[in-house]
């Protein structure tokens, strides 16, 4: 066997079937839900019901139902993870890259729902009523990331970038928050941004 044939051999993961990928994806989601439950996260909203959409950000029901304004940020996660996985693992099949993206997203969901991050959100941002995601919301966020990943796979790069920018602009104008601001306020909280975020929607 030559060195050339060894380096050109496709990753073992590329030989997996559709059912292999589906089982791995389902396993990741089940594991994510199980760990969140062990962490004390509620399965559904404490209000006792599940809504498809909850659009009031500054409320105790934000991040408690299936979808909300921050669902757009998780779709954007999918865009970013697709691009990163494509650059870092160019020879890996796209389902393999998706599984890696799900692992990263799932890990973030666990960190995001730790007491340390929850307390940091409450102290450094306008999210005073935030007490962590419900399990149904967290799993829905992972599905939103998957949707973003699959969109990025199908759309031209220019269209993906345009959608990402449009999403960030709409969120900034309507809820005065978005993925970029969320990252800034998590890492380097700014009182000026916090005060600005307390204002009314522009649109």
């Amino acid at each position: 066997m030559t060195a050339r044939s060894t380096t050109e051999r496709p990753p073992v993961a590329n030989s997996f079937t559709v059912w292999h990928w589906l089982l791995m994806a389902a396993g990741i989601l089940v594991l994510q839900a199980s760990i969140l439950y062990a962490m004390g996260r509620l399965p559904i909203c404490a209000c006792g019901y599940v809504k498809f959409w909850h659009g009031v950000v500054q409320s105790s029901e934000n991040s408690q139902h299936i979808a909300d304004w921050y669902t757009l940020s998780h779709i954007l996660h999918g865009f970013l993870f697709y691009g990163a996985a494509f650059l870092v693992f160019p020879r890996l099949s796209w389902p393999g890259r998706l599984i890696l993206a799900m692992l990263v997203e799932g890990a973030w969901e666990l960190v995001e729902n730790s007491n340390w991050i929850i307390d940091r959100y409450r102290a450094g941002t306008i999210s005073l009523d935030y007490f962590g995601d419900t399990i149904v919301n967290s799993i829905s966020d992972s599905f939103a990331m998957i949707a973003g990943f699959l969109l990025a796979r199908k759309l031209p790069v220019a269209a993906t970038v345009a959608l990402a920018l449009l999403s960030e602009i709409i969120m900034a104008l309507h809820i005065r928050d978005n993925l970029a601001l969320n990252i800034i306020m998590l890492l380097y909280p700014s009182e000026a941004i916090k005060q600005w975020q307390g204002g009314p929607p522009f649109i």
Side-chain angles (χ1 to χ4, degrees):
M1 181 179 294
T2 65
R4 178 181 177 82
S5 62
T6 300
T7 56
E8 291 184 353
R9 179 187 299 171
V12 174
N14 289 346
S15 64
F16 291 164
T17 67
V18 172
W19 285 109
H20 287 134
W21 295 121
L22 289 175
L23 285 172
M24 281 188 278
I28 291 170
L29 294 174
V30 169
L31 182 61
Q32 177 181 329
S34 300
I35 296 176
L36 287 170
Y37 185 77
M39 291 168 60
R41 298 294 102 209
L42 295 175
I44 66 171
C45 177
C47 60
Y49 52 83
V50 176
K51 295 191 295 187
F52 176 76
W53 171 261
H54 181 77
V56 183
V57 173
Q58 297 184 44
S59 75
S60 60
E61 291 187 37
N62 190 54
S63 296
Q64 303 299 293
H65 298 283
I66 293 175
D68 50 53
W69 282 104
Y70 291 101
T71 301
L72 296 178
S73 289
H74 290 277
I75 293 174
L76 185 51
H77 286 182
F79 290 174
L80 296 173
F81 292 164
Y82 178 83
F86 182 83
L87 292 174
V88 177
F89 302 102
R91 298 176 62 240
L92 184 62
S93 63
W94 73 263
R97 296 179 198 147
L98 177 56
I99 291 298
L100 293 177
M102 290 183 65
L103 288 170
V104 174
E105 180 75 4
W108 165 245
E109 286 295 321
L110 300 181
V111 173
E112 182 185 33
N113 284 284
S114 65
N115 289 332
W116 181 72
I117 293 293
I118 291 172
D119 290 342
R120 189 167 178 84
Y121 272 134
R122 286 170 53 78
T125 73
I126 59 171
S127 304
L128 297 178
D129 292 322
Y130 180 66
F131 294 94
D133 300 348
T134 59
I135 295 174
V136 69
N137 178 262
S138 180
I139 296 301
S140 296
D141 287 345
S142 289
F143 275 113
M145 185 283 297
I146 293 170
F149 186 100
L150 296 177
L151 270 175
R153 176 175 174 260
K154 290 295 185 180
L155 294 175
V157 173
T160 302
V161 172
L163 277 178
L165 292 175
L166 180 62
S167 172
E168 290 285 88
I169 291 170
I170 289 175
M171 289 182 68
L173 293 176
H174 189 71
I175 67 171
R176 291 180 178 249
D177 201 6
N178 54 30
L179 181 59
L181 288 172
N182 206 268
I183 293 172
I184 291 171
M185 292 299 285
L186 183 62
L187 298 178
Y188 305 103
S190 165
E191 186 61 30
I193 294 178
K194 184 177 180 179
Q195 292 298 323
W196 178 81
Q197 288 183 316
F202 291 103
I203 58 173

